[in-house]
Amino acid sequence: MNPKYEECLKALNECLEACNSCFDSCLHEENLAMMADCIRLDRECADICAFAAQAITRNSPFTTQILELCSEVCDRCAEVCAKHDHDHCQRCAEACRKCAEACRKMVA
């Protein structure tokens, strides 16, 4: 694997973990209806981060396109999570922002 991807892989894995943690924590919040978009985007973001990490490690010819999509999904997830005051949402939003930035850096 190309060492230039190390920082991106780290960000992808941290984002995946933050999204999974946020998803699980959101399920325990009182107003689930209010958390629906957050839960949905946590799942989407975790999945695209895992897929992007796999694309990198297998040297996929589509890595650039996958990282572009990943940055878009991470941006959207960060936007939605940031609307909630819960610590898990705020941590997730930050991890998503960092991941989106790392993905964009790789495709630049």
Side-chain angles (χ1 to χ4, degrees), residues 2-108:
N2 191 328
K4 74 176 186 173
Y5 286 109
E6 285 180 31
E7 183 181 327
C8 189
L9 278 171
K10 183 176 185 254
L12 287 164
N13 286 320
E14 288 174 0
C15 188
L16 184 150
E17 290 176 19
C19 286
N20 280 336
S21 176
C22 187
F23 166 81
D24 183 59
S25 296
C26 283
L27 291 175
H28 300 287
E29 294 296 339
E30 286 184 30
N31 188 347
L32 275 179
M34 181 181 79
M35 304 307 294
D37 286 342
C38 190
I39 292 167
R40 184 175 295 111
L41 279 161
D42 284 337
R43 293 298 335 126
E44 292 289 336
C45 194
D47 287 349
I48 192 64
C49 286
F51 185 57
Q54 290 173 1
I56 289 170
T57 58
R58 69 173 172 257
N59 200 28
S60 169
F62 302 103
T63 299
T64 298
Q65 295 93 328
I66 293 166
L67 289 175
E68 288 172 349
L69 177 59
C70 188
S71 69
E72 291 178 33
V73 175
C74 286
D75 283 338
R76 182 71 177 118
C77 190
E79 187 181 303
V80 169
C81 283
K83 292 178 182 177
H84 301 286
D85 291 332
H86 310 295
D87 286 342
H88 56 86
C89 290
Q90 293 300 312
R91 283 190 305 272
C92 186
E94 182 61 26
C96 288
R97 285 186 204 102
K98 287 180 181 176
C99 189
E101 183 180 321
C103 289
R104 278 192 291 275
K105 186 177 171 184
M106 292 286 40
V107 300

